[in-house]
Amino acid sequence: MTDRVLVSPAELFGDGVFETVHLRPDGPWLLDQHLARLSRSAARLGFTASTDEAAARVAALPPVITESALRIIQTRESLHVTVSPIPDSVRRERRSGIRVLSAAVGPRPPWSLSAAKTLSYGPNFAARRWAQAQGGDDCLWVSLDGYALEAPTASLVWLAGEELCSVPPEEAGILAGTTAAELLSRAGSAGLRPVFRMITLDELARADAIWFASALRGLAEVISLDGVARARSPWSPRLSALLGY
Amino acid sequence: MTDRVLVSPAELFGDGVFETVHLRPDGPWLLDQHLARLSRSAARLGFTASTDEAAARVAALPPVITESALRIIQTRESLHVTVSPIPDSVRRERRSGIRVLSAAVGPRPPWSLSAAKTLSYGPNFAARRWAQAQGGDDCLWVSLDGYALEAPTASLVWLAGEELCSVPPEEAGILAGTTAAELLSRAGSAGLRPVFRMITLDELARADAIWFASALRGLAEVISLDGVARARSPWSPRLSALLGY
């Protein structure tokens, strides 16, 4: 990321929220939706997000020439807005797809922050390192009773016939994906029917196509799931184009 | 905490480790043990802790007149050593004890960082807020099969007859408590026998006394567990004195 920021040591303990926004030459994409989620995340942590201030700082940014990563980070004490390049690994995953390993995660305790995008991101990084240590690129979290949930830094999207699907955030207790919701809202223009529903890992393995959706990657196609290779889908370039990636 | 620190935005994502040390007028208590744990925590996150540099910075601190909180914080990019006052709430908990609510936590995934003291402390704060919202002071994490594990920021210690007990960290997959280990190592001098063993919540409720052990609180006696009041133990002042609190 770009500049260094001055914080109190207490701000280093992951007790805040953030958003990653795809910053395009024509402006930050889906900014309102990201700010709304920042606000919901902060509310779950018991504080109020400075969304007006964040919007003002984003509006004051100079335009970018190439796509970039915009991060809006808010601790209980301060707000930070940063711009950084899209990592090469992200571009590669968009282009070449990702090998995914599934792993069960336990039921969430009553204070769970799993529906908030918090700065306590250590376990998310650790989950990806775990997948990478086994020759994968990323990890798919599955409930103890076998339902696919989400990835450490992305939402799950899949195609089943003419249905373009994602996991219902409230029912699953997961983060509501901004990119996935936008994709489903545009499904009709691609002749597909948007559906939010639960899916078991077994059923997912039989889907026509699977993607991880997030602001920087857009859609990264799952090219292998738990070691089983999957054919590339002709829908990957179509749906990516639909989202402007 | 005291001074502000300059960090990169990436350091705000909880992907580091820390230790809280009881800084006494005669020096930092159990510093070597805390540095050793910092090192183990960092290894679990895949990086090397700068323990020599941390020790040098701690040695260069001016002596304190009253007990204080020393924090050693290490991200993947930088090391921070800070000194701050002991919060009033901590002194109150030492003196008056704590009301504790238990809550089940799911089995840990393979990449779990639960044995590391990481900066992704948001869920720990959230667990305490959850307990406080129900009229408690703190929370006791219990496995799905009913075994007491640890608290969000403390280790569990209990007295059963002449046995002074704590939970075995490796077997339970929890953080190894520095204060609890020190207490058990000194149990003999109080005529007690130190035992690391698993205990169900039901059995714990019948213990002669229960404490939460941590560097700043020392021993905070559990004066109610899941709403059931517990008589104060004569061992609380004795064991606290044994540890120099």
Side-chain angles (χ1 to χ4, degrees), chain B residues 166-224:
Chain B
S166 191
V167 179
E170 293 234 351
E171 184 177 349
I174 61 173
L175 185 72
T178 301
T179 310
E182 181 67 17
L183 176 66
L184 264 63
S185 79
R186 298 187 186 191
S189 70
L192 299 173
R193 199 163 57 251
V195 180
F196 281 96
R197 68 175 176 91
M198 302 299 291
I199 188 169
T200 64
L201 184 62
D202 289 345
E203 188 186 350
L204 181 68
R206 297 190 298 271
D208 296 310
I210 310 173
W211 299 273
F212 279 7
S214 60
L216 298 192
R217 291 197 281 200
L219 294 177
E221 186 175 357
V222 177
I223 58 170
S224 89

CSV table of all heavy atoms in Angstrom, one decimal, chain B residues 166-224:
chain,number,residue,atom,x,y,z
B,166,SER,N,-4.7,-26.2,35.7
B,166,SER,CA,-5.0,-25.4,34.6
B,166,SER,C,-5.1,-26.3,33.4
B,166,SER,O,-4.8,-27.5,33.5
B,166,SER,CB,-3.9,-24.4,34.3
B,166,SER,OG,-4.3,-23.4,33.4
B,167,VAL,N,-5.6,-25.8,32.3
B,167,VAL,CA,-5.9,-26.6,31.1
B,167,VAL,C,-4.6,-26.8,30.3
B,167,VAL,O,-3.8,-25.9,30.1
B,167,VAL,CB,-6.9,-25.8,30.2
B,167,VAL,CG1,-7.2,-26.6,28.9
B,167,VAL,CG2,-8.2,-25.5,31.0
B,168,PRO,N,-4.3,-28.1,29.9
B,168,PRO,CA,-3.1,-28.3,29.1
B,168,PRO,C,-3.2,-27.7,27.7
B,168,PRO,O,-4.1,-28.1,26.9
B,168,PRO,CB,-3.1,-29.9,29.0
B,168,PRO,CG,-4.5,-30.3,29.2
B,168,PRO,CD,-5.1,-29.3,30.1
B,169,PRO,N,-2.3,-26.7,27.4
B,169,PRO,CA,-2.5,-25.9,26.2
B,169,PRO,C,-2.5,-26.8,24.9
B,169,PRO,O,-3.3,-26.6,24.0
B,169,PRO,CB,-1.3,-25.0,26.2
B,169,PRO,CG,-0.9,-24.9,27.6
B,169,PRO,CD,-1.2,-26.2,28.2
B,170,GLU,N,-1.5,-27.7,24.8
B,170,GLU,CA,-1.4,-28.5,23.6
B,170,GLU,C,-2.6,-29.3,23.3
B,170,GLU,O,-3.2,-29.4,22.2
B,170,GLU,CB,-0.1,-29.4,23.6
B,170,GLU,CG,1.2,-28.6,23.6
B,170,GLU,CD,2.1,-29.0,22.5
B,170,GLU,OE1,1.9,-30.0,21.9
B,170,GLU,OE2,3.1,-28.3,22.3
B,171,GLU,N,-3.0,-30.1,24.4
B,171,GLU,CA,-4.1,-31.0,24.2
B,171,GLU,C,-5.4,-30.2,23.9
B,171,GLU,O,-6.2,-30.6,23.1
B,171,GLU,CB,-4.3,-31.7,25.5
B,171,GLU,CG,-5.5,-32.8,25.5
B,171,GLU,CD,-5.6,-33.6,26.7
B,171,GLU,OE1,-4.7,-33.5,27.6
B,171,GLU,OE2,-6.6,-34.3,26.9
B,172,ALA,N,-5.5,-29.0,24.5
B,172,ALA,CA,-6.8,-28.2,24.3
B,172,ALA,C,-6.7,-27.3,23.0
B,172,ALA,O,-7.7,-26.8,22.6
B,172,ALA,CB,-7.1,-27.4,25.5
B,173,GLY,N,-5.5,-27.2,22.5
B,173,GLY,CA,-5.4,-26.3,21.3
B,173,GLY,C,-5.6,-24.8,21.7
B,173,GLY,O,-6.1,-24.0,20.9
B,174,ILE,N,-5.1,-24.4,22.8
B,174,ILE,CA,-5.3,-23.0,23.3
B,174,ILE,C,-4.0,-22.4,23.5
B,174,ILE,O,-2.9,-23.0,23.4
B,174,ILE,CB,-6.1,-23.0,24.6
B,174,ILE,CG1,-5.3,-23.8,25.7
B,174,ILE,CG2,-7.5,-23.6,24.4
B,174,ILE,CD1,-5.9,-23.6,27.1
B,175,LEU,N,-4.0,-21.1,23.8
B,175,LEU,CA,-2.8,-20.3,24.1
B,175,LEU,C,-2.2,-20.8,25.4
B,175,LEU,O,-2.9,-21.0,26.4
B,175,LEU,CB,-3.1,-18.9,24.2
B,175,LEU,CG,-1.9,-17.9,24.3
B,175,LEU,CD1,-1.1,-17.8,23.0
B,175,LEU,CD2,-2.4,-16.5,24.8
B,176,ALA,N,-0.9,-21.0,25.4
B,176,ALA,CA,-0.2,-21.4,26.7
B,176,ALA,C,-0.1,-20.2,27.6
B,176,ALA,O,0.6,-19.2,27.2
B,176,ALA,CB,1.2,-22.0,26.3
B,177,GLY,N,-0.7,-20.2,28.7
B,177,GLY,CA,-0.8,-19.0,29.6
B,177,GLY,C,0.5,-18.9,30.4
B,177,GLY,O,1.0,-19.8,31.1
B,178,THR,N,1.1,-17.7,30.3
B,178,THR,CA,2.4,-17.4,31.0
B,178,THR,C,2.2,-17.3,32.5
B,178,THR,O,2.9,-17.9,33.3
B,178,THR,CB,3.0,-16.1,30.4
B,178,THR,OG1,3.2,-16.3,29.0
B,178,THR,CG2,4.3,-15.8,31.1
B,179,THR,N,1.2,-16.5,32.9
B,179,THR,CA,0.9,-16.3,34.3
B,179,THR,C,0.4,-17.6,34.9
B,179,THR,O,0.9,-18.0,36.1
B,179,THR,CB,-0.2,-15.2,34.5
B,179,THR,OG1,0.2,-14.1,33.7
B,179,THR,CG2,-0.3,-14.8,35.9
B,180,ALA,N,-0.4,-18.4,34.3
B,180,ALA,CA,-0.9,-19.6,34.8
B,180,ALA,C,0.2,-20.6,35.0
B,180,ALA,O,0.3,-21.3,36.0
B,180,ALA,CB,-2.0,-20.2,33.9
B,181,ALA,N,1.1,-20.7,34.0
B,181,ALA,CA,2.2,-21.7,34.1
B,181,ALA,C,3.1,-21.3,35.3
B,181,ALA,O,3.6,-22.2,36.0
B,181,ALA,CB,3.0,-21.7,32.8
B,182,GLU,N,3.3,-20.0,35.5
B,182,GLU,CA,4.2,-19.5,36.6
B,182,GLU,C,3.5,-19.9,37.9
B,182,GLU,O,4.2,-20.4,38.9
B,182,GLU,CB,4.4,-18.0,36.5
B,182,GLU,CG,5.3,-17.4,37.6
B,182,GLU,CD,6.7,-17.9,37.5
B,182,GLU,OE1,7.1,-18.4,36.5
B,182,GLU,OE2,7.4,-17.8,38.6
B,183,LEU,N,2.2,-19.7,38.0
B,183,LEU,CA,1.5,-20.0,39.2
B,183,LEU,C,1.6,-21.5,39.5
B,183,LEU,O,1.9,-21.9,40.7
B,183,LEU,CB,0.0,-19.6,39.1
B,183,LEU,CG,-0.9,-20.0,40.3
B,183,LEU,CD1,-0.5,-19.2,41.5
B,183,LEU,CD2,-2.4,-19.8,39.9
B,184,LEU,N,1.4,-22.3,38.5
B,184,LEU,CA,1.4,-23.8,38.8
B,184,LEU,C,2.9,-24.2,39.2
B,184,LEU,O,3.1,-25.1,40.0
B,184,LEU,CB,0.9,-24.6,37.6
B,184,LEU,CG,-0.5,-25.0,37.8
B,184,LEU,CD1,-1.5,-23.8,37.8
B,184,LEU,CD2,-1.0,-25.9,36.7
B,185,SER,N,3.9,-23.5,38.6
B,185,SER,CA,5.3,-23.9,39.0
B,185,SER,C,5.6,-23.5,40.4
B,185,SER,O,6.5,-24.0,41.0
B,185,SER,CB,6.2,-23.2,38.0
B,185,SER,OG,6.4,-21.8,38.4
B,186,ARG,N,4.8,-22.6,41.0
B,186,ARG,CA,5.0,-22.2,42.4
B,186,ARG,C,4.0,-22.8,43.4
B,186,ARG,O,4.0,-22.5,44.6
B,186,ARG,CB,4.9,-20.6,42.5
B,186,ARG,CG,5.9,-19.9,41.7
B,186,ARG,CD,5.9,-18.4,42.0
B,186,ARG,NE,6.8,-17.6,41.2
B,186,ARG,CZ,7.1,-16.4,41.3
B,186,ARG,NH1,6.6,-15.7,42.4
B,186,ARG,NH2,7.9,-15.8,40.5
B,187,ALA,N,3.2,-23.7,42.8
B,187,ALA,CA,2.1,-24.3,43.7
B,187,ALA,C,2.7,-25.0,44.9
B,187,ALA,O,2.1,-24.9,46.0
B,187,ALA,CB,1.3,-25.3,42.8
B,188,GLY,N,3.8,-25.7,44.7
B,188,GLY,CA,4.4,-26.5,45.8
B,188,GLY,C,4.7,-25.6,47.0
B,188,GLY,O,4.5,-26.1,48.2
B,189,SER,N,5.1,-24.4,46.8
B,189,SER,CA,5.5,-23.5,47.9
B,189,SER,C,4.2,-23.1,48.7
B,189,SER,O,4.3,-22.6,49.8
B,189,SER,CB,6.2,-22.3,47.5
B,189,SER,OG,5.4,-21.5,46.7
B,190,ALA,N,3.0,-23.3,48.2
B,190,ALA,CA,1.8,-23.0,48.9
B,190,ALA,C,1.2,-24.3,49.4
B,190,ALA,O,0.0,-24.3,49.9
B,190,ALA,CB,0.8,-22.3,48.0
B,191,GLY,N,1.9,-25.4,49.3
B,191,GLY,CA,1.4,-26.7,49.7
B,191,GLY,C,0.3,-27.3,48.8
B,191,GLY,O,-0.4,-28.2,49.2
B,192,LEU,N,0.4,-26.9,47.5
B,192,LEU,CA,-0.6,-27.4,46.5
B,192,LEU,C,0.2,-28.2,45.5
B,192,LEU,O,1.4,-28.0,45.3
B,192,LEU,CB,-1.4,-26.3,45.9
B,192,LEU,CG,-2.2,-25.4,46.9
B,192,LEU,CD1,-2.8,-24.2,46.1
B,192,LEU,CD2,-3.3,-26.2,47.5
B,193,ARG,N,-0.6,-29.1,44.8
B,193,ARG,CA,0.0,-29.9,43.8
B,193,ARG,C,-0.4,-29.4,42.4
B,193,ARG,O,-1.6,-29.3,42.1
B,193,ARG,CB,-0.5,-31.4,43.9
B,193,ARG,CG,0.4,-32.4,43.3
B,193,ARG,CD,0.1,-33.8,43.8
B,193,ARG,NE,-1.2,-34.2,43.7
B,193,ARG,CZ,-2.1,-34.3,44.8
B,193,ARG,NH1,-1.7,-34.1,46.0
B,193,ARG,NH2,-3.3,-34.7,44.6
B,194,PRO,N,0.5,-29.0,41.5
B,194,PRO,CA,0.2,-28.5,40.2
B,194,PRO,C,-0.3,-29.6,39.2
B,194,PRO,O,0.4,-30.6,39.1
B,194,PRO,CB,1.5,-27.9,39.7
B,194,PRO,CG,2.5,-28.7,40.3
B,194,PRO,CD,2.0,-29.1,41.7
B,195,VAL,N,-1.4,-29.4,38.5
B,195,VAL,CA,-1.9,-30.4,37.6
B,195,VAL,C,-2.4,-29.7,36.3
B,195,VAL,O,-3.2,-28.8,36.4
B,195,VAL,CB,-3.1,-31.2,38.2
B,195,VAL,CG1,-3.6,-32.2,37.2
B,195,VAL,CG2,-2.6,-31.9,39.5
B,196,PHE,N,-1.9,-30.1,35.2
B,196,PHE,CA,-2.6,-29.6,33.9
B,196,PHE,C,-3.5,-30.7,33.5
B,196,PHE,O,-3.1,-31.9,33.2
B,196,PHE,CB,-1.5,-29.4,32.8
B,196,PHE,CG,-0.8,-28.1,33.0
B,196,PHE,CD1,0.4,-28.0,33.6
B,196,PHE,CD2,-1.3,-26.9,32.5
B,196,PHE,CE1,1.1,-26.8,33.8
B,196,PHE,CE2,-0.7,-25.7,32.6
B,196,PHE,CZ,0.5,-25.6,33.2
B,197,ARG,N,-4.8,-30.4,33.4
B,197,ARG,CA,-5.7,-31.5,32.9
B,197,ARG,C,-7.0,-30.8,32.3
B,197,ARG,O,-7.3,-29.7,32.6
B,197,ARG,CB,-6.1,-32.4,34.0
B,197,ARG,CG,-6.9,-31.8,35.2
B,197,ARG,CD,-7.3,-32.9,36.1
B,197,ARG,NE,-8.0,-32.5,37.3
B,197,ARG,CZ,-9.4,-32.3,37.4
B,197,ARG,NH1,-10.1,-32.6,36.3
B,197,ARG,NH2,-9.9,-31.9,38.5
B,198,MET,N,-7.7,-31.6,31.5
B,198,MET,CA,-9.0,-31.1,30.9
B,198,MET,C,-10.0,-31.2,32.0
B,198,MET,O,-10.0,-32.1,32.9
B,198,MET,CB,-9.3,-32.0,29.7
B,198,MET,CG,-8.3,-32.0,28.6
B,198,MET,SD,-8.0,-30.4,27.9
B,198,MET,CE,-9.5,-30.1,27.0
B,199,ILE,N,-11.0,-30.3,31.9
B,199,ILE,CA,-12.1,-30.4,32.9
B,199,ILE,C,-13.4,-30.0,32.2
B,199,ILE,O,-13.4,-29.0,31.3
B,199,ILE,CB,-11.8,-29.4,34.1
B,199,ILE,CG1,-12.9,-29.6,35.2
B,199,ILE,CG2,-11.7,-28.0,33.7
B,199,ILE,CD1,-12.6,-29.0,36.5
B,200,THR,N,-14.5,-30.7,32.4
B,200,THR,CA,-15.8,-30.3,31.9
B,200,THR,C,-16.3,-29.1,32.6
B,200,THR,O,-15.9,-28.8,33.8
B,200,THR,CB,-16.8,-31.4,31.9
B,200,THR,OG1,-17.1,-31.7,33.3
B,200,THR,CG2,-16.3,-32.7,31.2
B,201,LEU,N,-17.2,-28.4,32.0
B,201,LEU,CA,-17.8,-27.2,32.6
B,201,LEU,C,-18.6,-27.6,33.9
B,201,LEU,O,-18.5,-26.9,34.9
B,201,LEU,CB,-18.8,-26.5,31.6
B,201,LEU,CG,-19.4,-25.2,32.1
B,201,LEU,CD1,-18.4,-24.1,32.4
B,201,LEU,CD2,-20.4,-24.7,31.0
B,202,ASP,N,-19.2,-28.8,33.8
B,202,ASP,CA,-20.0,-29.3,35.0
B,202,ASP,C,-19.0,-29.5,36.2
B,202,ASP,O,-19.3,-29.1,37.3
B,202,ASP,CB,-20.7,-30.6,34.6
B,202,ASP,CG,-21.9,-30.3,33.7
B,202,ASP,OD1,-22.3,-29.2,33.6
B,202,ASP,OD2,-22.4,-31.3,33.1
B,203,GLU,N,-17.9,-30.1,35.9
B,203,GLU,CA,-16.9,-30.4,37.0
B,203,GLU,C,-16.3,-29.1,37.5
B,203,GLU,O,-16.1,-28.9,38.7
B,203,GLU,CB,-15.8,-31.4,36.5
B,203,GLU,CG,-14.9,-31.9,37.6
B,203,GLU,CD,-13.7,-32.7,37.1
B,203,GLU,OE1,-13.7,-33.0,35.9
B,203,GLU,OE2,-12.9,-32.9,37.9
B,204,LEU,N,-16.1,-28.2,36.6
B,204,LEU,CA,-15.5,-26.9,37.0
B,204,LEU,C,-16.4,-26.2,37.9
B,204,LEU,O,-15.9,-25.6,38.9
B,204,LEU,CB,-15.2,-26.0,35.7
B,204,LEU,CG,-14.6,-24.7,36.0
B,204,LEU,CD1,-13.2,-24.8,36.5
B,204,LEU,CD2,-14.7,-23.8,34.7
B,205,ALA,N,-17.7,-26.3,37.7
B,205,ALA,CA,-18.7,-25.6,38.6
B,205,ALA,C,-18.6,-26.1,40.0
B,205,ALA,O,-18.9,-25.4,40.9
B,205,ALA,CB,-20.1,-25.8,38.0
B,206,ARG,N,-18.1,-27.3,40.2
B,206,ARG,CA,-17.9,-27.9,41.5
B,206,ARG,C,-16.5,-27.7,42.1
B,206,ARG,O,-16.3,-28.1,43.2
B,206,ARG,CB,-18.2,-29.4,41.5
B,206,ARG,CG,-19.7,-29.7,41.1
B,206,ARG,CD,-20.0,-31.2,41.3
B,206,ARG,NE,-19.2,-32.1,40.5
B,206,ARG,CZ,-19.4,-32.5,39.2
B,206,ARG,NH1,-20.5,-32.0,38.6
B,206,ARG,NH2,-18.6,-33.3,38.6
B,207,ALA,N,-15.6,-26.9,41.4
B,207,ALA,CA,-14.3,-26.7,41.9
B,207,ALA,C,-14.3,-25.8,43.2
B,207,ALA,O,-15.3,-25.1,43.4
B,207,ALA,CB,-13.4,-26.0,40.9
B,208,ASP,N,-13.3,-25.9,44.0
B,208,ASP,CA,-13.3,-25.1,45.2
B,208,ASP,C,-13.1,-23.6,45.0
B,208,ASP,O,-13.5,-22.8,45.7
B,208,ASP,CB,-12.1,-25.7,46.2
B,208,ASP,CG,-12.4,-27.1,46.6
B,208,ASP,OD1,-13.6,-27.3,47.1
B,208,ASP,OD2,-11.6,-28.0,46.4
B,209,ALA,N,-12.4,-23.3,43.9
B,209,ALA,CA,-12.2,-21.9,43.5
B,209,ALA,C,-11.8,-21.9,42.0
B,209,ALA,O,-11.2,-22.9,41.5
B,209,ALA,CB,-11.1,-21.3,44.3
B,210,ILE,N,-12.1,-20.8,41.3
B,210,ILE,CA,-11.8,-20.7,39.9
B,210,ILE,C,-11.2,-19.3,39.7
B,210,ILE,O,-11.7,-18.3,40.3
B,210,ILE,CB,-13.1,-20.8,39.0
B,210,ILE,CG1,-13.9,-22.1,39.4
B,210,ILE,CG2,-12.7,-20.8,37.6
B,210,ILE,CD1,-15.2,-22.1,38.6
B,211,TRP,N,-10.2,-19.2,38.9
B,211,TRP,CA,-9.6,-17.9,38.6
B,211,TRP,C,-9.3,-17.7,37.1
B,211,TRP,O,-9.1,-18.8,36.4
B,211,TRP,CB,-8.3,-17.7,39.3
B,211,TRP,CG,-8.3,-17.7,40.8
B,211,TRP,CD1,-8.6,-16.7,41.6
B,211,TRP,CD2,-8.1,-18.9,41.6
B,211,TRP,NE1,-8.5,-17.1,42.9
B,211,TRP,CE2,-8.2,-18.4,43.0
B,211,TRP,CE3,-7.8,-20.2,41.4
B,211,TRP,CZ2,-8.1,-19.3,44.1
B,211,TRP,CZ3,-7.6,-21.1,42.5
B,211,TRP,CH2,-7.8,-20.6,43.8
B,212,PHE,N,-9.3,-16.5,36.6
B,212,PHE,CA,-8.8,-16.2,35.3
B,212,PHE,C,-7.4,-15.6,35.6
B,212,PHE,O,-7.3,-14.6,36.3
B,212,PHE,CB,-9.7,-15.2,34.6
B,212,PHE,CG,-10.9,-15.8,33.9
B,212,PHE,CD1,-11.2,-17.2,34.1
B,212,PHE,CD2,-11.7,-15.1,33.0
B,212,PHE,CE1,-12.3,-17.7,33.5
B,212,PHE,CE2,-12.8,-15.6,32.4
B,212,PHE,CZ,-13.1,-17.0,32.6
B,213,ALA,N,-6.4,-16.1,34.9
B,213,ALA,CA,-5.0,-15.7,35.1
B,213,ALA,C,-4.5,-15.0,33.9
B,213,ALA,O,-4.6,-15.5,32.8
B,213,ALA,CB,-4.1,-16.9,35.4
B,214,SER,N,-4.0,-13.8,34.1
B,214,SER,CA,-3.4,-13.0,33.0
B,214,SER,C,-2.4,-12.1,33.5
B,214,SER,O,-2.3,-11.8,34.7
B,214,SER,CB,-4.4,-12.4,32.1
B,214,SER,OG,-5.1,-11.4,32.8
B,215,ALA,N,-1.5,-11.5,32.6
B,215,ALA,CA,-0.4,-10.7,33.1
B,215,ALA,C,-0.8,-9.5,33.9
B,215,ALA,O,-0.2,-9.1,34.9
B,215,ALA,CB,0.5,-10.3,31.9
B,216,LEU,N,-1.9,-8.8,33.4
B,216,LEU,CA,-2.2,-7.6,34.1
B,216,LEU,C,-3.2,-7.8,35.3
B,216,LEU,O,-3.0,-7.3,36.4
B,216,LEU,CB,-2.9,-6.6,33.1
B,216,LEU,CG,-2.1,-6.1,32.0
B,216,LEU,CD1,-2.8,-4.9,31.3
B,216,LEU,CD2,-0.7,-5.7,32.4
B,217,ARG,N,-4.1,-8.8,35.1
B,217,ARG,CA,-5.0,-9.0,36.2
B,217,ARG,C,-4.4,-9.9,37.3
B,217,ARG,O,-4.9,-9.9,38.4
B,217,ARG,CB,-6.3,-9.8,35.7
B,217,ARG,CG,-7.1,-8.9,34.8
B,217,ARG,CD,-8.5,-9.4,34.7
B,217,ARG,NE,-8.6,-10.5,33.7
B,217,ARG,CZ,-9.7,-10.9,33.0
B,217,ARG,NH1,-10.8,-10.3,33.3
B,217,ARG,NH2,-9.6,-11.8,32.1
B,218,GLY,N,-3.3,-10.6,37.0
B,218,GLY,CA,-2.8,-11.6,37.9
B,218,GLY,C,-3.9,-12.6,38.0
B,218,GLY,O,-4.3,-13.3,37.0
B,219,LEU,N,-4.5,-12.8,39.2
B,219,LEU,CA,-5.6,-13.7,39.4
B,219,LEU,C,-6.9,-13.0,39.6
B,219,LEU,O,-7.0,-12.3,40.6
B,219,LEU,CB,-5.3,-14.7,40.5
B,219,LEU,CG,-4.1,-15.6,40.3
B,219,LEU,CD1,-3.9,-16.4,41.6
B,219,LEU,CD2,-4.4,-16.5,39.1
B,220,ALA,N,-7.9,-13.1,38.8
B,220,ALA,CA,-9.2,-12.5,39.0
B,220,ALA,C,-10.1,-13.7,39.4
B,220,ALA,O,-10.3,-14.6,38.6
B,220,ALA,CB,-9.7,-11.8,37.8
B,221,GLU,N,-10.7,-13.7,40.6
B,221,GLU,CA,-11.5,-14.8,41.0
B,221,GLU,C,-12.8,-14.8,40.4
B,221,GLU,O,-13.5,-13.8,40.3
B,221,GLU,CB,-11.6,-14.8,42.6
B,221,GLU,CG,-12.4,-16.1,43.0
B,221,GLU,CD,-12.4,-16.1,44.6
B,221,GLU,OE1,-11.9,-15.3,45.3
B,221,GLU,OE2,-13.1,-17.1,45.1
B,222,VAL,N,-13.3,-16.0,39.9
B,222,VAL,CA,-14.6,-16.1,39.3
B,222,VAL,C,-15.6,-16.1,40.5
B,222,VAL,O,-15.7,-17.1,41.2
B,222,VAL,CB,-14.7,-17.3,38.4
B,222,VAL,CG1,-16.1,-17.5,37.9
B,222,VAL,CG2,-13.7,-17.3,37.3
B,223,ILE,N,-16.4,-15.1,40.6
B,223,ILE,CA,-17.4,-15.0,41.7
B,223,ILE,C,-18.8,-15.4,41.3
B,223,ILE,O,-19.7,-15.6,42.1
B,223,ILE,CB,-17.4,-13.6,42.3
B,223,ILE,CG1,-17.8,-12.5,41.3
B,223,ILE,CG2,-16.1,-13.2,43.0
B,223,ILE,CD1,-18.1,-11.1,41.9
B,224,SER,N,-19.0,-15.5,40.0
B,224,SER,CA,-20.2,-16.2,39.6
B,224,SER,C,-19.9,-16.9,38.2
B,224,SER,O,-19.2,-16.3,37.4
B,224,SER,CB,-21.4,-15.3,39.5
B,224,SER,OG,-21.6,-14.7,38.3
